[in-house]
Amino acid sequence: MAKSKKSAKAKSKAPAKKPVRKVVKLAAKSTSKNTIKSAGKAASKSAKSAKSAKPAKSAKKANGNGAYPKPVAKPFGEAGKALEGVRILDFTHVQSGPTCTQLLAWFGADVIKVERPGVGDITRGQLVDVKGADSLYFTMLNHNKRSITIDSKHPQGKRVLDELIKKCDVLVENFAPGALDRMGLTWDYIHKVNPRMIVASVKGFGPGPYEDCKVYENVAQCTGGSASTTGFRDGLPLVTGAQIGDSGTGLHLALGIVTALFQRNRTGRGQRVLCAMQDGVLNLCRVKLRDQQRLKAGPLTEYSQYGEGIPFGDATPRAGNDSGGGQPGRILKCKGWEDDPNAYIYFITQAPVWQAICDVIGEPGWKTDPDFATPKARLPRLNQIFERIEEWTKTKTKFEAMDILNQYDIPCGPILSMKELAEDESLRKTGTVVEVDHPTRGKYLTVGNPIKLSDSITEVKRSPLLGEHTDEILTDVLGFKAKDVAEIKNSGALSAPEKEEKAA
Ligand code: CAO
């Protein structure tokens, strides 16, 4: 490599080598905490100076001409959470809905998870790794929530639900189509009981031929355009490990909810928010619908298939690991690939750094060779180009390659295993990977809030045990007196039905 570095330096046209950035294991030098702290200091300073100076006209305008409160003087991160005061009636289960309400909880909403007595969210008992404890499936999707058990079909359960509807701002659910209505909780009913309530739902499909179908993650990936465009041209359609159907739709729904809350500030009324998983996946596959339409204008020249001389059909094909845009890229082998399934790097031949790429891989002649010098000339030769680059990457570990290539601003990324991500120090420091303690399962790792707000800092709290907060919700939130609590409890609306005695 020393040779390639030297040649990169020697060529006057090659972009200057940047000072070495330590990227081994992607360790960040400054933590987000530090960044947030300094942002907080700066903000406090500006808040102080704002007191003495007259606000500029533009600032006044941005602040709604005085319609909004003055900026608080408290340091960033100490002025409460973004969604403080918002209460969520969380009727979600499995993954898509819980992802959404977990985000809202991280932003400070009081999320009250309603679960079926005795059973709870079905994921509590799925993929169990510690006997007798809630599964990771459940704990990793339900942080910062409270749990109450209610049989929603019991008259006394309905009584409690009615009170919750009155006291909450948003009802979030992802039951199978029609299930909420069958509980008697139609939109008309809820809107009548609490006209300010927002009712947010995840369903598999929007209105249309499939609207009544139950849907899980991979069904959404298949029906939303992801599977038909994932994998290799000559292989099966593939699903991806990223849960774009479930977690992706949960994210979409969270945005819909905060947007509806924002509109409610103006209109005073709630509305329905619907995210269909098919729509959410298609939204994430938008570039593939772009390519579908480009097919009319001729072959998709950035797809490897073009260089291989294989004609295109009438639908966007699977493109293996080709880059999605106009910057050709591939996954290439690195040192150790024979034994390590993740010894690979994604390498992008971005046009502005082509000269540096040629120098690094030891092909300086390609900088001026008309077959390689321009992006257009390179498109039919991508296989040859990436084979040559791979000869170089195979001599480096993925971290060494990342380190070297970043000195020249060459976009690339090592294929990181879940083990490497779990152990990554920088992700721990930013709170993206968090260790949480749980009373029945002990310590476990989870993914924290990936959305960092400088004035609403997320603290990841363990998921609730089944019905852990039933009493406090009945009394503190709903204001039931002891007599009413006893009546509701004795009715059996909050507890699992007694198991029938087995006949002797
Ligand atoms: N008290 C009493 N009954 C309750 C209850 C409670 N607290 N909570 C749920 N139930 C009942 C429901 O009312 C429903 O009963 P009916 O069908 O008799 O009216 C029943 O439990 C089952 O609900 P469901 O149909 O939603 O659950 P399922 O396990 O059969 O299906 C799923 C699961 C995910 C396929 C379905 O909910 C669905 O399609 N949801 C929408 C799409 C979605 O979010 N999918 C992502 C799932 S994550 O991969």
Side-chain angles (χ1 to χ4, degrees):
M1 175 56 221
K3 199 178 160 205
S4 323
K5 264 194 189 172
K6 253 188 203 165
S7 65
K9 252 186 173 178
K11 304 287 166 190
S12 59
K13 276 188 180 169
K17 181 180 147 188
K18 300 204 314 186
V20 179
R21 253 188 270 149
K22 266 274 164 249
V23 282
V24 173
K25 297 236 165 183
L26 305 181
K29 275 183 186 157
S30 66
T31 67
S32 75
K33 239 185 179 174
N34 292 341
T35 325
I36 287 164
K37 264 190 189 162
S38 51
K41 269 187 192 166
S44 302
K45 251 190 179 178
S46 67
K48 270 179 203 162
S49 59
K51 270 185 188 169
S52 50
K54 257 191 166 181
K57 259 190 183 169
S58 58
K60 228 180 161 189
K61 208 172 173 195
N63 200 25
N65 285 328
Y68 297 113
K70 275 187 192 168
V72 287
K74 284 182 184 168
F76 272 53
E78 290 178 25
K81 299 268 192 281
L83 293 182
E84 214 172 81
V86 174
R87 189 168 278 146
I88 313 279
L89 197 173
D90 180 7
F91 242 138
T92 67
H93 64 155
V94 206
Q95 187 184 164
S96 62
T99 315
C100 165
T101 50
Q102 176 168 262
L103 274 171
L104 302 175
W106 280 337
F107 290 137
D110 178 13
V111 175
I112 297 173
K113 185 165 172 115
V114 177
E115 297 184 79
R116 200 204 291 249
V119 192
D121 186 328
I122 191 133
T123 60
R124 284 187 186 266
Q126 284 182 340
L127 309 177
V128 170
D129 59 323
V130 177
K131 213 176 161 204
D134 287 330
S135 70
L136 286 167
Y137 196 173
F138 177 83
T139 54
M140 290 179 72
L141 285 160
N142 289 285
H143 293 107
N144 296 47
K145 304 180 186 179
R146 299 201 270 178
S147 167
I148 179 171
T149 50
I150 305 174
D151 178 350
S152 61
K153 290 170 183 159
H154 191 291
Q156 289 289 347
K158 193 82 195 314
R159 174 183 172 197
V160 178
L161 276 174
D162 277 357
E163 291 309 307
L164 274 169
I165 290 169
K166 286 179 203 159
K167 290 274 164 45
C168 290
D169 299 279
V170 189
L171 184 156
V172 192
E173 63 95 19
N174 67 311
F175 290 126
L180 197 65
D181 288 359
R182 287 195 290 277
M183 288 178 187
L185 300 177
T186 61
W187 159 254
D188 287 343
Y189 179 79
I190 296 168
H191 190 59
K192 206 168 151 200
V193 175
N194 179 358
R196 286 174 60 75
M197 177 161 262
I198 290 154
V199 178
S201 306
V202 170
K203 294 288 166 261
F205 296 94
Y210 303 128
E211 65 187 302
D212 291 330
C213 301
K214 289 186 176 183
V215 167
Y216 283 104
E217 171 68 45
N218 289 347
V219 175
Q221 289 197 25
C222 291
T223 56
S226 178
S228 70
T229 54
T230 304
F232 286 89
R233 186 181 39 77
D234 48 1
L236 281 178
L238 287 183
V239 293
T240 158
Q243 304 287 284
I244 56 175
D246 279 337
S247 289
T249 309
L251 268 164
H252 282 94
L253 192 72
L255 178 60
I257 290 169
V258 290
T259 307
L261 281 168
F262 194 81
Q263 189 173 7
R264 194 183 72 171
N265 287 338
R266 210 174 60 244
T267 62
R269 69 177 182 214
Q271 60 184 301
R272 277 177 288 178
V273 180
L274 170 68
C275 281
M277 292 168 77
Q278 182 185 40
D279 300 6
V281 171
L282 181 57
N283 183 35
L284 299 176
C285 291
R286 157 182 307 265
V287 298
K288 298 295 178 181
L289 187 58
R290 172 200 68 192
D291 291 351
Q292 177 64 40
Q293 296 169 87
R294 287 173 58 223
L295 275 173
K296 278 191 209 133
L300 307 172
T301 52
E302 78 282 16
Y303 281 51
S304 303
Q305 173 174 349
Y306 169 66
E308 289 159 4
I310 295 162
F312 283 76
D314 61 0
T316 309
R318 291 187 273 288
N321 291 320
D322 290 342
S323 221
Q327 291 74 245
R330 293 273 177 91
I331 290 184
L332 304 176
K333 290 170 182 160
C334 290
K335 197 193 249 178
W337 66 273
E338 297 90 339
D339 306 313
D340 176 356
N342 294 304
Y344 292 85
I345 192 162
Y346 201 91
F347 192 114
I348 296 181
T349 55
Q350 192 205 15
V353 288
W354 175 246
Q355 306 234 339
I357 294 170
C358 296
D359 287 329
V360 169
I361 64 168
E363 289 290 350
W366 280 5
K367 289 192 281 189
T368 48
D369 184 334
D371 278 353
F372 297 94
T374 64
K376 197 169 174 216
R378 292 195 286 275
L379 285 175
R381 299 178 178 81
L382 291 179
N383 282 355
Q384 185 190 348
I385 290 167
F386 281 113
E387 273 164 27
R388 176 63 190 89
I389 298 174
E390 193 171 59
E391 272 178 40
W392 179 81
T393 55
K394 275 160 79 175
T395 66
K396 307 279 172 277
T397 68
K398 61 187 177 186
F399 293 116
E400 284 166 355
M402 174 81 176
D403 204 3
I404 294 163
L405 295 171
N406 267 281
Q407 291 169 39
Y408 302 94
D409 255 350
I410 299 167
C412 60
I415 309 305
L416 295 180
S417 68
M418 276 299 147
K419 181 172 185 294
E420 284 162 335
L421 288 164
E423 291 165 358
D424 188 302
E425 275 175 40
S426 64
L427 293 177
R428 299 284 184 112
K429 279 186 187 149
T430 59
T432 297
V433 175
V434 191
E435 191 174 77
V436 181
D437 207 356
H438 188 276
T440 55
R441 65 170 305 117
K443 288 196 164 75
Y444 66 96
L445 279 189
T446 193
V447 184
N449 191 349
I451 304 167
K452 320 288 187 206
L453 299 190
S454 65
D455 206 6
S456 180
I457 293 151
T458 301
E459 296 137 41
V460 179
K461 296 183 192 146
R462 71 163 173 86
S463 58
L465 302 174
L466 180 60
E468 183 177 348
H469 305 99
T470 298
D471 284 331
E472 68 181 49
I473 290 164
L474 289 175
T475 51
D476 301 350
V477 178
L478 304 179
F480 282 116
K481 300 274 175 290
K483 182 173 98 16
D484 295 318
V485 172
E487 188 189 347
I488 295 163
K489 281 189 167 174
N490 289 338
S491 76
L494 310 183
S495 46
E498 301 271 322
K499 278 189 187 145
E500 278 172 31
E501 295 272 334
K502 273 189 184 162

